[in-house]
Amino acid sequence: QVQLEESGGGLVQPGGSLRLSCAASGRTSGSSAMGWFRQAPGKERELVATISSGGGGTTVVDSVKGRFTISRDNAKNTVYLQMNRLKPEDTAVYYCARSRDSTNVHEGSVADWGQGTQVTVSS
């Protein structure tokens, strides 16, 4: 089993930036795709960004394209989500997820979830 721990959330003004980190521990192998999901109050959980096991393939949802960047450092077993030009609609709990697949991430492929970190964008 792999444990995932997110950090870096908080309160930020619109237009500001945050960087989320997700540190993996336990039986890590570096062969899993990773993803960031988010869930806003009253809404369904949404896949925001994914990165393949080697880091060469990334995806982001259209609503954050050009503002969010996902990356990973396999030597540190850590995945990052750089969030720039934040908007109030980005407010949500953000979850890190490890996929059973080396390339794709979706709800059904997730093997491990982090506990979530709150991101609040407000003036």
Side-chain angles (χ1 to χ4, degrees):
Q1 189 174 358
V2 174
Q3 292 77 45
L4 303 175
E5 183 172 1
E6 302 100 334
S7 61
L11 173 64
V12 64
Q13 292 187 343
S17 298
L18 284 174
R19 187 176 82 156
L20 305 184
S21 299
C22 172
S25 60
R27 300 184 67 177
T28 60
S29 66
S31 62
S32 298
M34 300 290 293
W36 287 96
F37 290 76
R38 68 184 179 184
Q39 188 166 23
K43 295 188 176 181
E44 293 189 354
R45 187 160 52 195
E46 171 189 36
L47 178 59
V48 176
T50 71
I51 187 165
S52 61
S53 59
T58 63
T59 68
V60 293
V61 69
D62 284 348
S63 59
V64 308
K65 198 161 292 184
R67 301 188 297 120
F68 290 14
T69 303
I70 187 171
S71 62
R72 67 189 296 164
D73 184 340
N74 284 344
K76 296 182 178 179
N77 291 325
T78 301
V79 178
Y80 305 97
L81 186 67
Q82 178 67 45
M83 306 186 295
N84 298 327
R85 303 201 311 276
L86 282 159
K87 303 177 181 180
E89 51 263 43
D90 295 318
T91 295
V93 178
Y94 284 70
Y95 298 91
C96 176
R98 184 182 72 87
S99 178
R100 294 182 183 86
D101 191 85
S102 63
T103 304
N104 300 306
V105 183
H106 53 85
E107 289 268 3
S109 76
V110 173
D112 300 288
W113 292 95
Q115 82 287 352
T117 186
Q118 176 71 46
V119 171
T120 303
V121 185
S122 175
S123 55

